[in-house]
Each structure stands twice: as C-alpha cells, then as structure tokens.
Amino acid sequence: MNAPGEDRSLAAFLTREALIHRTCGMSRALLPRMKQASPEGMEELCRALSETAMASVYVGRAMGPPSAGVTVDGSDRVIYFVLDPLDVDCKQVSFLPRGQESALEQLYKLECGAME
C-alpha cells in the first residue's frame, strides 16, 4: 500500500476493497490544533499522530489530494482527517485491512500521545 506516486486521496482509500473503514467526528482536543496549525505545524502533528496510531496519517478536504501527511512504509493502517470550515463536519476516517475490525476501537477519536 502507500507506494511512491500512489493516489492518497480520501476517495482512493474509500475504494480499496482490501480495507474496511469507520468515520467519526474529530477529537475535541485535536480539532482546534489542526485548524490553527501552520503547514510545518501540521506536518509535525501528523508525525505525532502517526506514532500514536502506528499508521499513515493524512489531512485534507473530502475531495482531492491531502494537504499534509506522513506515510509509514509497509503500514496497512491509514487515518485520514477531513477538515471543513464547520467544526461539526470535520471527520476522522480510519482504514484497516479486512479482518482487523476490533482494532478500529483503538483509533476512535484519535489524539496525540501527548496532547498539550
């Protein structure tokens, strides 16, 4: 998964038959940090979330390529944060390989290991 040049849009992940996904609202602690982050701050936040989830992490809109992200080579776990001007429409979409449904609970409303 996650090969160089590979489409990392939300739509591309949603169409992968090998993955299951669940959508939830974003963590209340994480949402303002993402909305206020500079481009460099967003990359740092993605790295921290990636370490917490042991997954590739991307941030973007519902359509088009991600605006930020961290790819974990060989990882079959993906977390995609969808940002929207309305807080209620900001979402987290977690992707895991089929058969790993029980691990989705661990990713629900993900936060950094050290939310400050």
Side-chain angles (χ1 to χ4, degrees), residues 39-92:
E40 298 80 21
M42 185 64 80
E43 290 295 332
E44 183 178 318
L45 191 53
C46 287
R47 277 192 295 279
L49 289 163
S50 177
E51 290 172 10
T52 297
M54 296 179 291
S56 295
V57 173
Y58 303 104
V59 178
R61 300 242 179 234
M63 303 296 287
S67 56
V70 173
T71 301
V72 176
D73 291 333
S75 176
D76 51 7
R77 299 171 72 145
V78 176
I79 312 296
Y80 203 107
F81 293 97
V82 181
L83 295 180
D84 189 89
L86 296 175
D87 288 357
V88 71
D89 288 335
C90 294
K91 303 294 180 198
Q92 172 188 319

Side-chain angles (χ1 to χ4, degrees), residues 10 14 19-25 78-80 91-96 98 100-105 107-109:
L10 179 61
L14 287 169
L19 298 176
I20 58 167
H21 69 277
R22 296 293 180 273
T23 303
C24 63
V78 176
I79 312 296
Y80 203 107
K91 303 294 180 198
Q92 172 188 319
V93 187
S94 303
F95 296 91
L96 292 172
R98 293 195 178 279
Q100 294 186 16
E101 288 84 352
S102 62
L104 285 167
E105 288 182 33
L107 302 176
Y108 182 77
K109 294 198 181 218

